[in-house]
């Protein structure tokens, strides 16, 4: 079962949390913490940073509850959007520190080869995590949300605020880069 197709009406739970029901917000935390952590972890190089960001996401979500509007999407997309923006802020702050210390800039990796099967067959999660660091932020988001959090391309498009065709293109290019990187590590 996808994390989006949940057994409870989490939109109703979110509305209860909006009204100040602490138990409802706890239920949201319990249900969403794992998929959000997975998403955050594959965007950041350190587990400790991912744990800190996860807490920040829930704090921001709690503060943003009064502004939540039902747009017909899963409440999880509300949390993913907050997570994505929090990660971007975190990376910007880190990058500013690196640029101040004159650290070398990251190089982009050109497209190569094809398909998700190699990514899914790779047994070493740490190797995948390392390989994903060379992807662009959008590629990493699109792949993580699709293959690790089971979101549809339409849901990913909503979170990333892009067209569905752009999401498919990001996934395709990102998977090519990952496959190439994973094949290099095997040899």
């Amino acid at each position: 079962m996808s994390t989006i197709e949940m057994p409870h009406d989490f939109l109703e739970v979110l509305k209860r949390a909006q009204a100040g029901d602490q138990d409802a917000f706890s239920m949201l935390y319990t249900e969403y913490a794992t998929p959000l952590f997975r998403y955050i972890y594959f965007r950041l190089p350190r587990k400790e940073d991912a744990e800190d960001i996860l807490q920040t996401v829930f704090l921001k979500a709690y503060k943003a509850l009064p502004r939540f509007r039902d747009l017909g999407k899963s409440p999880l997309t509300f949390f993913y959007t907050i997570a994505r923006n929090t990660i971007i802020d975190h990376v910007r702050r880190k990058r500013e520190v690196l640029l101040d210390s004159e650290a070398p800039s990251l190089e982009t990796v050109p497209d190569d080869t094809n398909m998700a099967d190699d990514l899914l067959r790779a047994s070493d999660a740490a190797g995948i995590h390392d390989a994903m660091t060379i992807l662009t932020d959008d590629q990493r988001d699109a792949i993580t949300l699709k293959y690790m959090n089971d979101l549809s391309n339409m849901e990913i498009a909503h979170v990333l605020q892009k067209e569905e065709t752009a999401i498919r293109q990001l996934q395709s290019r990102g998977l090519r880069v990952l496959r190439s990187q994973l094949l290099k590590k095997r040899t």
Side-chain angles (χ1 to χ4, degrees), residues 155-175:
E155 292 164 328
I156 297 168
H158 180 73
V159 171
L160 301 183
Q161 300 175 346
K162 296 187 180 297
E163 295 293 321
E164 225 177 310
T165 54
I167 297 303
R168 285 191 295 273
Q169 189 175 44
L170 287 168
Q171 290 164 348
S172 176
R173 289 180 180 169
L175 289 171

Side-chain angles (χ1 to χ4, degrees), residues 40 56 66 90 114 148 160:
I40 296 165
T56 302
H90 173 78
N114 200 4
M148 295 171 197
L160 301 183

Side-chain angles (χ1 to χ4, degrees), residues 27-95:
M27 186 183 280
L28 291 169
Y29 183 90
T30 300
E31 188 66 29
Y32 295 155
T34 299
L36 285 168
F37 178 78
R38 192 175 327 140
Y39 169 69
I40 296 165
Y41 177 70
F42 277 94
R43 289 288 315 274
L44 300 172
R46 294 177 12 142
K47 181 181 176 189
E48 295 79 12
D49 288 342
E51 291 167 345
D52 291 344
I53 296 293
L54 179 66
Q55 297 309 314
T56 302
V57 166
F58 277 100
L59 180 61
K60 286 181 175 184
Y62 184 77
K63 289 178 179 179
L65 278 175
R67 296 187 310 271
F68 173 79
R69 300 288 174 257
D70 179 12
L71 301 174
K73 306 289 181 193
S74 165
L76 187 55
T77 59
F78 170 70
F79 286 89
Y80 277 128
T81 301
I82 293 170
R84 181 174 186 262
N85 292 335
T86 304
I87 291 166
I88 289 169
D89 291 344
H90 173 78
V91 169
R92 275 191 193 130
R93 282 193 304 274
K94 290 272 190 186
R95 202 171 281 148

Side-chain angles (χ1 to χ4, degrees), residues 139-185:
Q139 288 171 338
R140 197 174 317 127
D141 282 343
I143 289 170
T144 302
L145 291 170
K146 176 76 172 186
Y147 297 103
M148 295 171 197
N149 292 85
D150 296 325
L151 268 67
S152 70
N153 285 346
M154 184 178 6
E155 292 164 328
I156 297 168
H158 180 73
V159 171
L160 301 183
Q161 300 175 346
K162 296 187 180 297
E163 295 293 321
E164 225 177 310
T165 54
I167 297 303
R168 285 191 295 273
Q169 189 175 44
L170 287 168
Q171 290 164 348
S172 176
R173 289 180 180 169
L175 289 171
R176 281 186 229 139
V177 171
L178 280 176
R179 181 174 187 263
S180 173
Q181 187 68 17
L182 291 171
L183 288 174
K184 284 180 190 174
K185 286 186 176 192

Side-chain angles (χ1 to χ4, degrees), residues 10-19 28 65 68 75 78-79:
F10 279 92
L11 181 58
E12 189 58 40
V13 173
L14 191 113
K15 288 179 181 178
R16 286 186 11 228
Q18 255 184 321
L28 291 169
L65 278 175
F68 173 79
F78 170 70
F79 286 89

Side-chain angles (χ1 to χ4, degrees), residues 99-147:
L99 290 176
D100 287 344
S101 63
E102 297 182 18
S105 63
L106 298 174
E107 295 179 18
T108 59
V109 178
D111 284 349
D112 207 0
T113 6
N114 200 4
M115 232 38 208
D117 296 310
D118 289 340
L119 173 63
L120 297 175
R121 274 184 256 163
S123 60
D124 183 15
I128 293 171
H129 186 268
D130 291 344
M132 287 187 70
T133 62
I134 65 171
L135 299 177
T136 67
D137 289 343
D138 285 342
Q139 288 171 338
R140 197 174 317 127
D141 282 343
I143 289 170
T144 302
L145 291 170
K146 176 76 172 186
Y147 297 103

